[in-house]
């Protein structure tokens, strides 16, 4: 799966408590040759490590270990190196497995627990700036979901939506002297009310930035009859044929997406400046970590490629020598930034990823505090 598939409902499902052991395997991967040649070898080694962990765990019966190993090997067998991004996550139980390819690196880990490890998924989703786009015309509406690099149709029970076909009525045309304007007849208005209602339900369930694409009269009618369009942060005035291919949708949206990114970056900079003036600013990994744990962070800004391995000591984070790996007792953590991002989102904070070096003077990460 890709990160844009990580909805709020799916995240709740992944975090649900399961019979022990639920197995989470994470590892960095490579997008191109020759580096990606090592990925299958590293995956086999991690699968073997997981098998040894299962065999040596007194809480895991022989039957459960065998079933879990079989599912893990099936999952590993489905991994295609040609589709690799920056990391791989396998989530496995005795009954199922899920494969995630993420555009954000993750450390090598095998975790046995009663829940899946989701921090890498959450951080990767936040980094990709997921969005929705609605392409709308008089007789159809298509909902798209994507990131800056890719887009796909979001097929739900309600979308894509097509207006019911009304048979021609010559007598009605005779009475009014002409066919009514496409965007003023009542059937079209009712269709747009239906689009608005269903779009509001989708956005309420899984909020993310919204862009609109359609002819000017179509977007104006959507504004007039409903509420969902008010939250849109960008618009593209263009025809929206039902068969518009994903690449074309993304190409037409690109200027609006770039403008949205510029606006978001300016807003983040402004919020951090205001926080410094109000003395509600935290900078650096240790300060931001403490603020997030205390629930005081309202905004957390992280540089795109910031990763850090730290030692947790006396509730503070201490840097460790380069090359240090995760410790069995949990005091050394390789994915502390992803862990912090997940905790911040769980506490209701806004999390944004900013350009590398834009927070260099603040230790690559900063926060605006609620108090």
């Amino acid at each position: 799966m890709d990160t844009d598939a990580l909805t709020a409902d799916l995240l709740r499902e992944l975090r649900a408590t399961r019979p022990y052991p639920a197995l989470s395997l994470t590892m960095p991967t490579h997008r191109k040759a020759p580096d990606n040649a090592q990925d299958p070898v590293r995956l086999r080694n991690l699968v073997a490590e997981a098998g040894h962990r299962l065999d040596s765990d007194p809480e895991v019966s022989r039957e459960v270990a065998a079933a879990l190993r079989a599912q893990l090997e099936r999952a590993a067998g489905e991994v295609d190196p040609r589709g690799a991004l920056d990391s791989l996550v396998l989530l496995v139980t005795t009954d199922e497995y899920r494969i995630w390819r993420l555009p954000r690196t993750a450390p090598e880990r095998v975790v046995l627990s009663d829940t899946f490890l989701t921090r890498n998924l959450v951080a990767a989703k936040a980094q990709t700036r997921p969005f929705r786009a609605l392409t709308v015309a008089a007789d159809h509406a298509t909902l798209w979901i994507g990131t800056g690099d890719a887009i796909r149709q979001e097929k739900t029970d309600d979308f894509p939506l097509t207006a019911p076909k009304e048979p021609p009525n010559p007598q009605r045309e005779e009475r009014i002297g002409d066919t009514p304007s496409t965007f003023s007849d009542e059937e079209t208005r009712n269709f747009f009310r239906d689009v608005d209602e269903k779009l509001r339900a989708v956005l309420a369930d899984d909020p993310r930035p919204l862009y609109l694409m359609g002819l000017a009269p179509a977007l104006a009618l959507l504004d007039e009859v409903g509420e969902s369009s008010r939250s849109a942060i960008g618009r593209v005035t263009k025809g929206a044929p039902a068969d518009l291919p994903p690449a074309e949708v993304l190409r037409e949206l690109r200027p609006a997406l770039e403008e949205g990114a510029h606006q978001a970056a300016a807003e983040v900079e402004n919020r951090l400046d205001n926080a410094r003036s109000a003395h509600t600013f935290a900078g650096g990994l240790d300060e931001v970590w403490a603020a997030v744990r205390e629930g005081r962070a309202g905004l957390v800004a992280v540089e795109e490629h910031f990763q850090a391995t730290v030692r947790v000591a006396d509730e503070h984070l201490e840097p460790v020598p380069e090359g240090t790996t995760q410790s069995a007792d949990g005091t050394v953590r390789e994915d502390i930034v992803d862990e912090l991002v997940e905790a911040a989102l769980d506490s209701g904070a806004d999390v944004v990823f900013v350009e590398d070096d834009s927070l260099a003077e603040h230790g690559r990460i900063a926060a605006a505090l609620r108090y």
Side-chain angles (χ1 to χ4, degrees):
M1 292 187 183
D2 296 324
T3 49
D4 62 9
L6 187 65
T7 63
D9 286 342
L10 179 53
L11 183 57
R12 281 192 291 270
E13 179 189 340
L14 294 177
R15 286 175 164 173
T17 301
R18 289 170 163 76
Y20 182 87
L23 187 151
S24 303
L25 182 154
T26 71
M27 60 171 278
T29 53
H30 302 83
R31 299 181 184 229
K32 298 179 180 179
D35 293 332
N36 61 3
Q38 64 185 280
D39 294 344
V41 177
R42 298 177 75 172
L43 178 57
R44 286 197 298 270
N45 291 340
L46 280 175
V47 169
E49 178 187 334
H52 294 320
R53 293 270 301 278
L54 289 168
D55 291 339
S56 62
D57 192 328
E59 297 183 43
V60 181
S61 69
R62 182 177 301 175
E63 294 75 17
V64 168
L68 200 53
R69 272 200 307 273
Q71 290 282 37
L72 179 58
E73 287 167 1
R74 290 190 191 100
E78 287 189 15
V79 174
D80 184 353
R82 293 171 298 179
L85 296 178
D86 298 313
S87 66
L88 172 70
V89 176
L90 303 183
L91 306 177
V92 185
T93 67
T94 56
D95 301 318
E96 63 173 343
Y97 59 84
R98 308 194 193 204
I99 302 170
W100 294 81
R101 298 172 180 86
L102 307 181
R104 179 174 173 80
T105 189
E108 284 192 3
R109 296 192 68 188
V110 174
V111 178
L112 302 179
S113 183
D114 58 359
T115 61
F116 287 134
L117 183 70
T118 59
R119 67 183 59 144
N120 309 106
L121 305 182
V122 173
K125 180 182 176 181
Q127 184 180 20
T128 55
R129 302 184 184 93
F131 66 88
R132 280 192 175 87
L134 179 77
T135 54
V136 62
D139 59 352
H140 69 268
T142 302
L143 195 59
W144 303 83
I145 189 167
T147 66
D149 298 324
I151 195 170
R152 63 177 174 82
Q153 277 197 36
E154 185 172 17
K155 296 185 178 180
T156 69
D157 292 339
D158 297 320
F159 288 98
L161 193 61
T162 303
K165 295 291 184 183
E166 295 290 334
N169 188 338
Q171 290 183 341
R172 180 173 184 268
E173 293 178 22
E174 219 174 273
R175 288 197 307 272
I176 64 176
D178 196 359
T179 304
S181 170
T182 301
F183 293 103
S184 64
D185 76 43
E186 195 57 31
E187 287 81 10
T188 302
R189 295 175 69 85
N190 286 335
F191 173 63
F192 272 53
R193 291 187 184 100
D194 195 25
V195 171
D196 173 75
E197 179 183 349
K198 296 183 186 311
L199 179 58
R200 278 190 285 121
V202 171
L203 295 175
D205 182 61
D206 183 28
R208 59 181 71 192
L210 173 67
Y211 294 83
L212 302 175
M213 181 189 300
L215 293 174
L219 300 185
L221 180 56
L222 192 63
D223 291 338
E224 181 183 340
V225 303
E227 302 174 6
S228 59
S229 63
R230 298 175 189 171
S231 65
I233 63 173
R235 297 174 179 234
V236 177
T237 305
K238 183 180 175 64
D243 58 351
L244 201 65
E248 179 69 10
V249 174
L250 189 58
R251 186 179 72 81
E252 294 296 337
L253 284 172
R254 183 69 64 193
L257 293 172
E258 291 175 353
E259 178 59 27
H262 291 320
Q263 292 177 4
E267 181 182 347
V268 169
E269 187 174 348
N270 186 53
R271 289 178 67 178
L272 292 176
D273 285 343
N274 290 340
R276 280 190 286 269
S277 299
H279 304 290
T280 55
F281 176 87
L285 195 52
D286 189 45
E287 283 189 21
V288 176
W289 168 259
V292 167
R293 291 180 70 247
E294 294 164 3
R296 295 190 297 124
L299 165 72
V300 175
V302 190
E303 288 189 3
E304 290 276 0
H305 296 99
F306 179 48
Q307 295 285 315
T309 301
V310 299
R311 176 175 287 103
V312 182
D314 297 327
E315 299 187 357
H316 287 281
L317 305 183
E318 300 175 351
V320 296
E322 187 174 349
T324 304
T325 57
Q326 187 97 9
S327 62
D329 61 5
T331 58
V332 174
R333 303 186 192 178
E334 289 182 81
D335 52 356
I336 193 65
V337 176
D338 289 1
E339 186 177 341
L340 185 152
V341 167
E342 184 180 45
L345 290 168
D346 284 346
S347 71
D350 298 326
V351 175
V352 294
F353 284 81
V354 297
E355 291 184 3
D356 289 340
D357 297 327
S358 61
L359 296 172
E361 62 181 305
H362 303 299
R364 314 293 180 189
I365 185 169
L369 308 182
R370 296 187 175 108
Y371 56 90

